[in-house]
Amino acid sequence: MVQQHLVLWYTSPEDRATYYEADWRTAYTLLNSGKTIKYTEEQFGEVAGGVVLNLLLLGHARVEDLVKAYDIVDKPSETTQAGPHVNGNKSERTSLNKKGHATSTRVDAILATLLEQGLVSEVNKSHLRPVADNRAEAEQELQQRPDFQGRLNGKKKIEFENAIQEKLAEWRDSTGEGIRENSKRQREKSDSDIESTAKRVRLNHGPINNGSRAFYGQINGELQRLNNHLVLRVNHEKFVVTARNQKLVSLAEDQIGTTTSQIYGQVLQILEKDMKRCENESTLTNMYDGKDVEDLPMVTTREIVASLHDTLEQPASIGNVDQSMININLLIHPKKRRRKIERDEAEVEGDASSDEIEEDRDALNGGVVSGIDEEIDDKDGNEEYANGKPNGASYTTTRPRNKLPFNKSPLTPVQQHLFLLAEHPYSFLHYIRAKPDKSESWAVDFPALACHLRQIELEKILLARYGTAALRIVRILYQKGKLEEKVLTKTALLNQKAMRHDLATMHKAGHLELQEIPRDNNRQPARTMFFWFFDHERCRWKVLDETYQAMSRCLQRLRVEREKVSVVVEKAARTDVAGREDEYLSGDERKMLQEWREREERMLGLLGRLNDLVATLRDF
């Protein structure tokens, strides 16, 4: 279990006693093993997926052990039916290399590529110790420094805490001599073999770094070799980053379109190389405090254009409509539309003024309707956003956006898609203007987008449980903050009696909160104000706890259902029966086996959906 990282340990230097602690997060990652292997196979090929599978089974392993195991399989004396054995355990064999394509040279190159991409990481001592013991070790080491000795108060205490976090991050991400500089050699394959390998394992999204690497571990025609004593493990945090990016691409596809989402996926893929983990450590309270848009991960327009496929139909994916075919009145707010219609009917026939032509041109915006409103761009004049946050809310997911340069110069098809992403209310991208020393760039605010993903999932759950009226109440409270019941009734346009029922139901379930503010010291109910508010974080952890319970019950139910047909399942799993059930199983047994497999498929599908919900609420 220590090798599987399911149990962490620490030896105290005082009494030399060893303490053990279970790591439930690592145990939970076992549910994502299938997704991890599938993603690796899609991006890097079947052999790379097999390498990751072996690392998942072993927990961690030395490079020399893995390479030797594949080298034994590649020898002629070994049959293709017997898989590799690792760490000298000949009884543990896998069906990884039935075709015998995984030579030791190629496995070394695969490990170099996976290490370069961050999908596997080097194991160090801090990975095997509990979090509390790592922190205690860091505190002891830092207290030896002269500037942190004695009693710490005020600014010194904050500096000490920051130094602890830096030390923990240094231990967590520390690496040794991963790649040998003096052991680069040409790939030992013929030109035809290299060409076929490149076709088989090329990435789905095209070559990386503008085609400089088309297959495993080969950079500029040379092969990178790893240190044989390097201990590697699967980096689950990096796979969480890839899962989050896929979720964001799906959201962009649902909100905007397929081609725009593909371009957005390429943007995320470029930024993914330098991201080790999701930024979920920062709380929503200080998410935007003192953080400028230019401090976010960004990519230039040139890099995006250089990495796109030629097969993307960029110009054809954005419609160009003749101005005469668009009814301008439909683009205006309904109240303003009625006033405009009444004004147009009362006007005397004649040529339109220059102001009216300019107004119509701004509404059309060149045939592309802009989602950015002046009221959203300039929130300083809005009392509700006087401090940059809604009334009573401790956070906000709306970052002030830079104004987009429309009607100044013609936009390329790629820029049009990027501006669509920047104009969207979710702010998939943030536009950064070009400067003399800096080209046009686009930034991605991952914490804000993750908050939007969580809110979408929470709204789906609340809609299924309480209905549309309750969801309307939650959205209003999430946007406005704390509101009194009368104000909430007028804003939601709901019956007060029916609304009170929804409020009480959600409050009882823990999804809404109620704050009492007395007007005097007597605290009489008649002299007390009651404010309803939606606590995003509390509701998030409440739903997450319920999801854990649902997953546990799903696994328990699956075990109970399996025990009912255990005799048939065990009989069908025998090597002489597998694949020939019609010959060895009776009609009733085949029916029971079919019903069990359908039931198991439904239960595992439900478990997978719950796992996706947990990833959205906890990991992103």
Side-chain angles (χ1 to χ4, degrees):
M1 288 191 292
V2 171
Q3 186 172 350
Q4 291 284 346
H5 298 265
L6 298 175
V7 172
L8 306 176
W9 62 277
Y10 177 75
T11 302
S12 176
E14 289 82 8
D15 54 1
R16 306 303 299 174
T18 303
Y19 301 91
Y20 297 92
E21 178 181 322
D23 188 4
W24 67 271
R25 287 185 175 272
T26 304
Y28 182 87
T29 56
L30 297 177
L31 286 173
N32 299 320
S33 300
K35 294 182 180 179
T36 301
I37 298 170
K38 181 180 178 181
Y39 175 82
T40 308
E41 290 180 350
E42 291 177 351
Q43 297 294 322
F44 302 99
E46 295 182 0
V47 181
V51 173
V52 172
L53 172 61
N54 273 347
L55 286 176
L56 288 173
L57 293 175
L58 296 172
H60 62 256
R62 291 194 309 167
V63 173
E64 184 179 9
D65 295 335
L66 287 174
V67 173
K68 284 183 178 180
Y70 282 94
D71 193 19
I72 292 174
V73 172
D74 193 56
K75 289 181 179 179
S77 60
E78 291 286 345
T79 60
T80 58
Q81 296 178 354
H85 60 270
V86 185
N87 290 340
N89 188 359
K90 298 182 180 180
S91 61
E92 294 182 1
R93 298 185 180 270
T94 63
S95 60
L96 176 64
N97 255 333
K98 293 182 178 179
K99 297 182 180 180
H101 291 306
T103 62
S104 59
T105 304
R106 188 177 177 190
V107 171
D108 201 351
I110 291 173
L111 290 173
T113 302
L114 295 177
L115 185 61
E116 178 191 358
Q117 295 295 318
L119 300 179
V120 298
S121 61
E122 184 178 350
V123 179
N124 53 54
K125 293 182 180 179
S126 64
H127 296 158
L128 303 175
R129 295 185 301 201
V131 178
D133 294 321
N134 280 332
R135 182 178 176 87
E137 193 83 13
E139 290 178 356
Q140 283 184 340
E141 183 176 336
L142 291 173
Q143 285 174 355
Q144 304 298 326
R145 293 167 50 178
D147 50 346
F148 290 136
Q149 292 181 356
R151 188 174 180 179
L152 303 177
N153 293 322
K155 187 177 180 181
K156 278 289 184 182
K157 190 174 182 180
I158 298 176
E159 293 178 357
F160 182 67
E161 181 64 27
N162 294 335
I164 291 175
Q165 298 300 328
E166 291 178 0
K167 178 62 68 175
L168 293 176
E170 178 185 349
W171 288 348
R172 180 184 57 195
D173 301 329
S174 63
T175 56
E177 297 179 359
I179 298 176
R180 296 195 215 150
E181 296 181 357
N182 58 351
S183 60
K184 294 182 179 179
R185 60 184 179 179
Q186 298 293 331
R187 177 178 292 271
E188 300 174 354
K189 288 186 178 182
S190 61
D191 295 338
S192 60
D193 193 7
I194 290 179
E195 184 178 0
S196 61
T197 305
K199 292 180 180 179
R200 181 169 59 253
V201 302
R202 186 171 285 117
L203 303 181
N204 293 338
H205 296 286
I208 296 179
N209 294 334
N210 200 15
S212 61
R213 191 192 76 244
F215 29 80
Y216 300 128
Q218 186 172 356
I219 300 178
N220 297 328
E222 295 183 343
L223 184 64
Q224 294 183 347
R225 298 284 295 176
L226 296 178
N227 190 341
N228 287 332
H229 300 286
L230 188 66
V231 181
L232 299 178
R233 69 167 186 171
V234 176
N235 185 11
H236 296 283
E237 294 179 337
K238 186 68 174 183
F239 284 98
V240 171
V241 174
T242 60
R244 181 195 59 186
N245 291 347
Q246 292 175 357
K247 190 79 172 179
L248 291 176
V249 171
S250 300
L251 180 62
E253 183 177 3
D254 295 338
Q255 296 289 329
I256 302 177
T258 303
T259 305
T260 307
S261 67
Q262 292 176 354
I263 295 177
Y264 188 56
Q266 196 64 33
V267 175
L268 298 181
Q269 186 180 3
I270 296 173
L271 297 176
E272 183 182 303
K273 305 172 189 176
D274 300 328
M275 300 191 66
K276 298 180 180 179
R277 62 189 56 86
C278 295
E279 300 177 3
N280 54 1
E281 294 90 353
S282 59
T283 59
L284 290 171
T285 304
N286 58 1
M287 184 183 296
Y288 304 119
D289 295 346
K291 202 172 187 181
D292 193 12
V293 177
E294 296 186 359
D295 297 333
L296 298 173
M298 64 179 65
V299 59
T300 62
T301 307
R302 293 181 180 178
E303 294 176 345
I304 299 173
V305 174
S307 62
L308 290 177
H309 299 284
D310 296 334
T311 57
L312 281 178
E313 299 180 358
Q314 303 166 17
S317 58
I318 297 181
N320 295 320
V321 184
D322 189 7
Q323 183 173 351
S324 61
M325 300 176 60
I326 300 178
N327 187 1
I328 302 177
N329 295 327
L330 298 178
L331 307 178
I332 308 175
H333 193 275
K335 292 184 178 180
K336 296 181 180 180
R337 189 190 311 163
R338 287 195 296 269
R339 298 196 197 104
K340 189 175 186 304
I341 293 175
E342 294 175 357
R343 184 189 64 187
D344 292 342
E345 291 177 352
E347 281 181 352
V348 181
E349 294 183 359
D351 295 336
S353 62
S354 60
D355 295 338
E356 294 173 356
I357 296 176
E358 187 67 26
E359 181 181 353
D360 296 344
R361 185 178 301 163
D362 293 340
L364 283 172
N365 200 7
V368 180
V369 182
S370 175
I372 294 183
D373 201 358
E374 293 181 358
E375 296 177 1
I376 299 178
D377 285 336
D378 188 10
K379 293 180 180 177
D380 296 336
N382 194 342
E383 296 179 357
E384 182 181 343
Y385 290 89
N387 297 324
K389 301 177 181 179
N391 171 34
S394 58
Y395 61 90
T396 175
T397 58
T398 305
R399 179 187 296 276
R401 290 177 282 191
N402 295 333
K403 293 185 179 180
L404 307 183
F406 287 116
N407 298 330
K408 288 188 177 181
S409 60
L411 302 177
T412 62
V414 176
Q415 286 180 316
Q416 291 180 8
H417 288 284
L418 295 176
F419 281 125
L420 285 177
L421 292 166
E423 282 186 294
H424 196 272
Y426 288 161
S427 298
F428 291 101
L429 292 176
H430 291 275
Y431 173 71
I432 300 177
R433 295 177 180 273
K435 297 180 181 179
D437 57 340
K438 203 171 186 180
S439 58
E440 181 183 74
S441 304
W442 305 86
V444 181
D445 193 353
F446 287 105
L449 291 173
C451 189
H452 285 306
L453 290 175
R454 291 192 291 267
Q455 184 64 20
I456 291 173
E457 296 296 335
L458 292 177
E459 288 180 357
K460 290 180 181 178
I461 295 173
L462 296 177
L463 175 62
R465 290 187 182 182
Y466 308 111
T468 55
L471 179 60
R472 187 189 305 178
I473 295 172
V474 169
R475 286 178 173 176
I476 292 173
L477 294 177
Y478 180 70
Q479 181 182 5
K480 302 294 183 181
K482 298 179 181 179
L483 292 178
E484 204 173 2
E485 186 176 319
K486 293 182 180 179
V487 180
L488 185 58
T489 305
K490 294 180 181 178
T491 307
L493 301 176
L494 295 174
N495 181 272
Q496 188 172 12
K497 185 177 180 180
M499 190 185 71
R500 284 180 178 177
H501 178 267
D502 293 333
L503 290 173
T505 304
M506 289 188 289
H507 179 61
K508 184 178 180 180
H511 297 143
L512 282 186
E513 301 296 328
L514 182 63
Q515 182 180 4
E516 301 179 6
I517 301 180
R519 298 182 181 179
D520 51 26
N521 296 331
N522 296 329
R523 305 185 69 89
Q524 296 293 331
R527 300 285 299 170
T528 303
M529 296 181 294
F530 297 92
F531 291 95
W532 293 94
F533 64 97
F534 175 73
D535 193 342
H536 178 92
E537 285 296 285
R538 178 180 173 84
C539 183
R540 165 192 172 190
W541 292 110
K542 177 73 175 178
V543 173
L544 187 60
D545 184 62
E546 296 172 351
T547 307
Y548 285 147
Q549 295 180 9
M551 296 178 71
S552 176
R553 293 167 183 169
C554 185
L555 292 173
Q556 293 175 6
R557 187 64 183 176
L558 192 63
R559 184 170 61 252
V560 171
E561 294 293 335
R562 180 183 174 85
E563 291 177 356
K564 293 180 181 179
V565 292
S566 60
V567 177
V568 179
V569 173
E570 292 174 359
K571 183 178 180 180
R574 286 164 40 185
T575 55
D576 58 334
V577 179
R580 295 184 291 180
E581 290 84 357
D582 295 338
E583 300 179 12
Y584 293 96
L585 297 181
S586 62
D588 294 338
E589 288 177 338
R590 290 197 301 270
K591 183 178 179 182
M592 292 175 61
L593 183 62
Q594 181 67 21
E595 291 177 354
W596 155 247
R597 288 176 176 174
E598 293 177 355
R599 193 178 300 113
E600 183 185 28
E601 184 179 359
R602 291 195 298 268
M603 297 292 287
L604 293 178
L606 175 60
L607 192 65
R609 291 191 294 271
L610 292 174
N611 183 33
D612 294 339
L613 178 61
V614 170
T616 304
L617 296 179
R618 187 194 66 185
D619 300 333
F620 294 172

